[in-house]
Amino acid sequence: MTVVNKTRFSLGAIKLIVLLALFFVLAGNQQFWHRTLAFFASDSTTLWRMGASIGLVTTSLMTLILSLVLWPYVGKPLLILLLMCNAGAAYFMNSYGIYIDRDMVQNVFETDPAEAAELFNLKLAAWIGLAGILPSVLVWRLPIRYGRWPRALLYRAGLILAALAVIGANAGLFFQDYASYFRNQRAVRRLFTPANVVYATGDYVNHSWFRKPSVLEPVGTDATRDAKASAGQPPLLLVIVVGETARAANFGLDGYSRQTTPELAARDMINFPKATSCGTATATSVPCMFSPMSREQYKSSQHMEGLLDIVQRVGLPVLWRDNNSGCKGTCDRVPNEDLSKAKDPQLCRDGECFDEILLQGLEKRLADKPGNLVLVLHQKGNHGPAYYLRYPPAFEKFTPVCRTNKLQECQREQIVNAYDNALLYTDHFLGKTIDLLKAQTGYRTALWYMSDHGESLGENNLYLHGAPYALAPEYQTHIPMVQWISPAFAQSTGLNLDCLRQQAASQPASHDNLFHSVLGLLDIHTQVYDPALDLFRTCRSGH
């Protein structure tokens, strides 16, 4: 064990564990305690009893975790890591009302530097400094007395047993209260930091590194397409626009009080007002929408081919153009272009580009390389929290706007105004894309737009997205979905647009439909095709 200079202040390992356990329980767990105490608030006796009990249980839980962490040589680095994670997680939970789970950790690992930079502000720096760096410095400089091995191990075992005994005793004494608490507050475990960070990170690592198949699972290897069906027809051009963080609640075509979609309203659109997403974050929703799996079946750890692989396999060219943080594996095996760091002086500034960059050079490409094409455009869209950066100044119709990433410091009206302006720009981008398709008289053209997920704008003190799906508010799962189909495309595929329009207005739709609907629309035959999920099937002649 470590020898400590007794003339310098030092602390025994057992005392340090207990003190740090109390620190973690009290520092940064405001959301956890707010939800917990609010649940028991209706009865003052129960409130005090369960407040004290849960305080003992959580302190014992942290004591148990720290007892496994604090050992010579590795203890201090691990404690500092926990302190920094605790500070960061606490800031984002308190500021945006988010939960820490596997999907949120995946978002952290897969975000790009530009997205991460948008989340940085002085308040975050202050929080990290006071709740993370300062206690980390104290821990690093503090001499810790571990004692001799036999006695130290005995004391450590006793501490662990005592922690388990406290947890067990409280669970037994207040079983009914705890049963009701966990039954009605299932997500509360995702709010207790740093235990939530430890568990979620372990869960992510397990699913992404150890349980992820090493071999790509093939999908639709039997796929064929009858070339004779389109013989003599102009080439087809199908554009799939993957939106970002657009919610149906603020979409003009879906009945929003503001007209945030004037350009789409002026075009002959097919609108799906009852559309829902597969997930509440890009890392889940994008690969899920292009997979053959339904939302209930899909797991983010799956490593399998998707829609674009099958389309390319039957001989239809595919191109993915990205203005976001990547395709999350969906476009890895097809031609793809990252335009998010382009240098266009009109469309790009401060290291990012407006979504119109996705159309740059496209008309020339279609003229130079005529032929069938399935084109995917992945927007930056309404990515938050800096909504005011998502649109050019000409689209700032709704004012005043929130011009900071510290949303909790803005009035809700300012947040909504900035968000709606970004939607207004998405409307313009879609309108411009449709106009480009209309101009391609040598093609049969169609467009399908859907957002990857929605967004919370401060309702119930919840911001951004990424909430566990079962607990997510409708704002994060109810998304805009629209289609534009040219007469030539409809005629060549036997589509009755009036039928489709009526069906879209009344029937639910979701990301589940994309894979199977596109296969049906492109006349691709494979056993993985599910006609029940094909939105076009009942409105296509000869179905």
Side-chain angles (χ1 to χ4, degrees):
M1 285 294 177
T2 304
V3 177
V4 175
N5 183 353
K6 294 184 179 181
T7 62
R8 183 181 175 189
F9 176 78
S10 61
L11 201 62
I14 300 298
K15 290 182 179 179
L16 180 60
I17 287 171
V18 174
L19 288 173
L20 283 175
L22 288 169
F23 174 82
F24 281 122
V25 169
L26 298 175
N29 275 303
Q30 290 91 333
Q31 287 295 314
F32 170 82
W33 285 113
H34 174 75
R35 294 286 186 90
T36 297
L37 298 179
F39 179 75
F40 295 108
S42 59
D43 184 302
S44 60
T45 302
T46 304
L47 173 63
W48 284 103
R49 181 181 71 243
M50 290 306 298
S53 175
I54 292 172
L56 285 171
V57 168
T58 51
T59 302
S60 298
L61 174 63
M62 286 311 306
T63 297
L64 183 62
I65 292 174
L66 295 174
S67 295
L68 301 175
V69 165
L70 188 58
W71 296 99
Y73 305 112
V74 299
K76 286 187 175 182
L78 290 177
L79 284 179
I80 290 171
L81 181 61
L82 281 178
L83 286 164
M84 297 301 293
C85 288
N86 179 71
Y91 169 79
F92 286 105
M93 288 192 298
N94 291 329
S95 298
Y96 301 112
I98 66 170
Y99 298 83
I100 305 295
D101 60 5
R102 186 179 76 205
D103 289 342
M104 191 60 66
V105 171
Q106 182 177 2
N107 293 336
V108 172
F109 274 91
E110 296 185 6
T111 193
D112 61 22
E115 289 182 350
E118 282 188 10
L119 294 169
F120 183 81
N121 54 58
L122 292 178
K123 187 174 181 179
L124 171 60
W127 192 284
I128 294 293
L130 292 175
I133 295 176
L134 180 59
S136 294
V137 170
L138 293 175
V139 166
W140 185 256
R141 292 178 60 84
L142 177 69
I144 302 173
R145 301 193 307 273
Y146 291 96
R148 298 186 179 277
W149 271 111
R151 180 174 293 183
L153 291 174
L154 184 62
Y155 285 166
R156 191 66 60 92
L159 185 63
I160 291 172
L161 290 175
L164 291 172
V166 170
I167 294 172
N170 278 271
L173 287 171
F174 308 117
F175 176 79
Q176 293 297 334
D177 292 305
Y178 275 106
S180 175
Y181 173 60
F182 286 117
R183 183 170 60 249
N184 292 280
Q185 299 288 318
R186 294 181 180 179
V188 76
R189 63 183 174 84
R190 298 184 176 95
L191 294 174
F192 182 68
T193 185
N196 55 359
V197 177
V198 173
Y199 178 83
T201 303
D203 194 21
Y204 170 75
V205 169
N206 179 43
H207 279 77
S208 301
W209 298 357
F210 297 107
R211 293 180 59 182
K212 185 175 182 178
S214 58
V215 179
L216 183 71
E217 180 183 346
V219 172
T221 55
D222 62 331
T224 59
R225 183 171 184 264
D226 186 0
K228 295 180 181 179
S230 58
Q233 298 277 1
L236 67 85
L237 172 58
L238 173 62
V239 177
I240 300 171
V241 181
V242 179
E244 172 65 47
T245 321
R247 69 184 205 172
N250 291 52
F251 204 65
L253 289 184
D254 287 332
Y256 186 40
S257 58
R258 283 177 169 174
Q259 181 49 286
T260 54
T261 55
E263 296 198 36
L264 292 180
R267 289 163 174 80
D268 193 17
M269 305 302 298
I270 297 164
N271 184 43
F272 294 80
K274 300 180 180 180
T276 54
S277 64
C278 181
T280 62
T282 304
T284 297
S285 283
V286 169
C288 178
M289 72 170 71
F290 284 91
S291 84
M293 315 295 285
S294 67
R295 183 184 67 80
E296 291 78 10
Q297 297 169 321
Y298 180 78
K299 294 182 177 63
S300 59
S301 60
Q302 286 171 328
H303 190 48
M304 63 194 308
E305 293 181 335
L307 173 64
L308 302 183
D309 297 282
I310 296 177
V311 171
Q312 184 172 251
R313 182 174 293 129
V314 299
L316 289 174
V318 175
L319 175 62
W320 181 291
R321 290 190 137 197
D322 208 293
N323 188 37
N324 206 310
S325 56
C327 64
K328 312 306 178 186
T330 305
C331 66
D332 287 356
R333 296 164 299 280
V334 302
N336 57 85
E337 300 171 355
D338 180 7
L339 301 177
S340 64
K341 301 297 188 295
K343 303 300 182 183
D344 187 286
Q346 300 298 319
L347 295 175
C348 304
R349 66 182 187 187
D350 300 328
E352 67 173 68
C353 299
F354 298 121
D355 282 328
E356 286 175 271
I357 196 70
L358 293 170
L359 304 179
Q360 189 180 67
L362 185 56
E363 195 161 14
K364 183 178 186 303
R365 184 193 186 284
L366 295 173
D368 292 346
K369 297 181 179 180
N372 296 327
L373 180 63
V374 175
L375 172 66
V376 183
L377 305 178
H378 187 197
Q379 285 185 270
K380 188 76 169 182
N382 278 56
H383 195 284
Y387 308 119
Y388 69 101
L389 296 177
R390 301 287 90 87
Y391 54 88
F395 290 86
E396 193 159 282
K397 175 181 178 181
F398 307 110
T399 56
V401 301
C402 179
R403 297 190 181 280
T404 176
N405 56 13
K406 295 179 284 186
L407 298 180
Q408 68 279 8
E409 295 185 2
C410 290
Q411 296 180 4
R412 188 166 184 276
E413 177 192 9
Q414 297 173 321
I415 298 171
V416 172
N417 285 343
Y419 184 88
D420 286 352
N421 289 332
L423 266 186
L424 198 65
Y425 179 61
T426 283
D427 170 71
H428 172 72
F429 166 72
L430 293 174
K432 191 171 182 179
T433 306
I434 292 170
D435 289 345
L436 186 150
L437 296 182
K438 285 182 177 180
Q440 307 308 307
T441 55
Y443 284 86
R444 296 171 289 148
T445 57
L447 176 143
W448 189 347
Y449 163 81
M450 67 182 76
S451 181
D452 60 349
H453 52 77
E455 186 84 325
S456 289
L457 298 177
E459 299 86 4
N460 298 316
N461 293 316
L462 187 62
Y463 297 90
L464 305 181
H465 52 268
Y469 201 94
L471 302 169
E474 187 176 310
Y475 297 115
Q476 295 190 27
T477 59
H478 185 196
I479 57 169
M481 179 188 292
V482 296
Q483 296 171 351
W484 176 86
I485 300 173
S486 70
F489 195 102
Q491 182 179 5
S492 68
T493 54
L495 266 179
N496 183 328
L497 297 186
D498 289 332
C499 167
L500 184 58
R501 192 169 289 106
Q502 293 173 7
Q503 177 179 284
S506 60
Q507 295 184 11
S510 73
H511 285 165
D512 294 354
N513 298 115
L514 178 67
F515 179 93
H516 306 278
S517 300
V518 170
L519 290 183
L521 194 64
L522 299 181
D523 200 30
I524 296 175
H525 306 281
T526 170
Q527 290 184 352
V528 295
Y529 165 73
D530 184 350
L533 292 173
D534 184 348
L535 292 176
F536 305 110
R537 184 179 65 90
T538 56
C539 294
R540 206 165 51 232
S541 60
H543 74 272

